[in-house]
């Protein structure tokens, strides 16, 4: 536990040194009326995902609007879905909002990009209304545009636009209770993503599996080797001692949540669940265009998918 905490601190320090073109946390911290919204962007890990993207619009709501949402006591996972519906994957400054071609548009959101939004639930309808108003509504929400543009908070064309809208966008799909990661079966998720051989090896080592599960709540990134890669490595793996096997498996987990965007902006050494002083299995993340390659002393694994 002591060790994991030290590892976590070291990894966080590493993340803190990253520099992105914009920092949503810093932008919103200048405006205390959005402190609750800002707090939840951090808690849900949406902030680093926003920082890793350009051509993006964040529709912030003030603390009163956030209290309305929080009074329904949604889980943090549901809040994440709802807030990700408020991040538009296009740049909408105040000027563009008031001059939408044909007066109406649909914007894809980060909720749509998660793949968990059913149908068109991850799109936001933006419509220019009478009297210079701009209405916002979730696309599947029976056509009601219940929220309106209030003001522009900060515009960095065409990287990020932060605007205020009057209310949280109602969306039955985003508000539906979302399962917590701990209720999810880690090995099943890995198997579904082409890492069944690795998942089976992990299931066979309860010590390593417990380490992974213990880290789910605090945030965990798993670099799971695809079946072909891990199959080729199996003869060597089977030859390892029990503690060697556990260390190798734990080596594929990083005790912090990292999005693909964070990894891409991050060239350098990472600590893993296997880090243990001198016997560390550190690895280097190397950016290679769209792919993120992990260079290690043991093997090179390419991240082809990110999930959870
Ligand atoms: C916009 O983003 C690009 C790429 O990240 C960066 O090089 C540029 O400096 C940013 N522009 C502003 C005004 O911050
Ligand atoms: C963004 O700013 C916050 C506080 O202002 C800071 O804690 C965080 O490390 C910054 N993130 C990045 C990626 O620089
Ligand atoms: C605007 O409306 C015209 C006429 O209906 C149509 O041809 C055009 O594709 C529309 N433009 C957009 C961006 O929706
Ligand atoms: C947006 O919603 C309004 C009001 O329900 C509707 O008239 C309009 O067609 C919608 N826009 C798009 C692009 O779907
Ligand atoms: C996860 O699923 C596997 C296979 O379906 C099962 O053997 C295992 O017990 C499950 N683990 C948990 C924690 O439910
Ligand atoms: C297994 O270990 C033995 C003894 O260290 C070694 O000679 C052999 O080459 C190893 N086999 C593989 C497949 O690594």
């Amino acid at each position: 536990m002591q060790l994991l905490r030290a590892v976590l601190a070291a990894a966080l320090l590493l993340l803190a040194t990253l520099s992105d073109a914009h920092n949503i946390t810093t932008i919103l911290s200048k405006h205390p009326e959005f402190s609750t919204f800002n707090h939840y962007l951090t808690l849900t890990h949406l902030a680093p995902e926003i920082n890793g993207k350009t051509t993006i619009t964040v529709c912030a709501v003030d603390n009163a609007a956030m209290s309305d949402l929080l009074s329904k006591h949604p889980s943090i996972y549901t809040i994440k879905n709802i807030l990700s519906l408020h991040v538009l994957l296009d740049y909408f400054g105040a000027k563009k909002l008031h001059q939408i071609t044909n007066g109406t548009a649909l914007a894809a959101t980060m909720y749509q990009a998660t793949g968990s939004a059913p149908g068109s639930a991850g799109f936001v309808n933006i419509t220019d209304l009478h009297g210079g108003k701009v209405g916002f509504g979730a696309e599947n929400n029976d056509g009601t545009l219940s929220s309106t543009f209030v003001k522009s908070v900060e515009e960095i064309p065409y990287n990020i636009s932060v605007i205020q809208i009057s209310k949280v966008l109602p969306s039955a799909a985003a508000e539906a209770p979302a399962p917590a990661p701990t209720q999810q079966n880690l090995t099943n998720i890995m198997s579904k993503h082409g890492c069944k051989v690795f998942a089976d090896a992990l299931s066979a080592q309860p010590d390593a599996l417990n380490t992974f599960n213990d880290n789910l709540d605090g945030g965990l990134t798993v670099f799971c080797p695809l079946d072909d890669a891990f199959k080729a490595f199996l003869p060597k793996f089977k030859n390892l001692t029990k503690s060697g096997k556990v260390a190798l498996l734990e080596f594929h987990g990083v005790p912090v949540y990292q999005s693909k965007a964070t990894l891409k902006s991050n060239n350098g050494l990472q600590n893993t669940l296997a880090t243990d002083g001198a016997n560390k299995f550190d690895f280097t993340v190397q950016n290679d265009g769209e792919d993120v390659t992990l260079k290690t002393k043991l093997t090179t694994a390419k991240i082809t998918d990110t999930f959870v």
Side-chain angles (χ1 to χ4, degrees), residues 24-44:
I24 185 66
T25 313
T26 310
I27 293 174
L28 287 174
S29 66
K30 290 179 248 162
H31 306 270
E33 70 266 38
F34 302 118
S35 59
T36 310
F37 184 83
N38 201 9
H39 174 69
Y40 279 95
L41 285 187
T42 302
L43 271 191
T44 54

Side-chain angles (χ1 to χ4, degrees), residues 235-294:
K236 276 191 190 148
F237 179 75
K238 288 194 173 134
N239 218 9
L240 294 171
T241 61
K242 184 174 161 53
S243 63
K245 283 178 186 153
V246 170
L248 185 116
L249 292 167
E250 291 180 349
F251 157 78
H252 289 84
V254 177
V256 246
Y257 174 87
Q258 294 182 311
S259 63
K260 204 166 172 178
T262 325
L263 284 167
K264 268 163 74 178
S265 58
N266 182 9
N267 259 319
L269 274 184
Q270 299 262 338
N271 276 307
T272 76
L273 294 179
T275 302
D276 182 9
N279 297 324
K280 61 178 156 189
F281 291 94
D282 275 332
F283 58 84
T284 309
V285 177
Q286 228 171 40
N287 297 337
D288 176 20
E290 271 302 296
D291 290 326
V292 185
T293 310
L294 298 176

Side-chain angles (χ1 to χ4, degrees), residues 6-27:
V7 169
L8 188 65
L12 284 176
L13 204 70
L14 190 88
L15 284 179
T17 59
L18 299 177
S19 72
D20 284 297
H22 48 253
N23 184 331
I24 185 66
T25 313
T26 310
I27 293 174

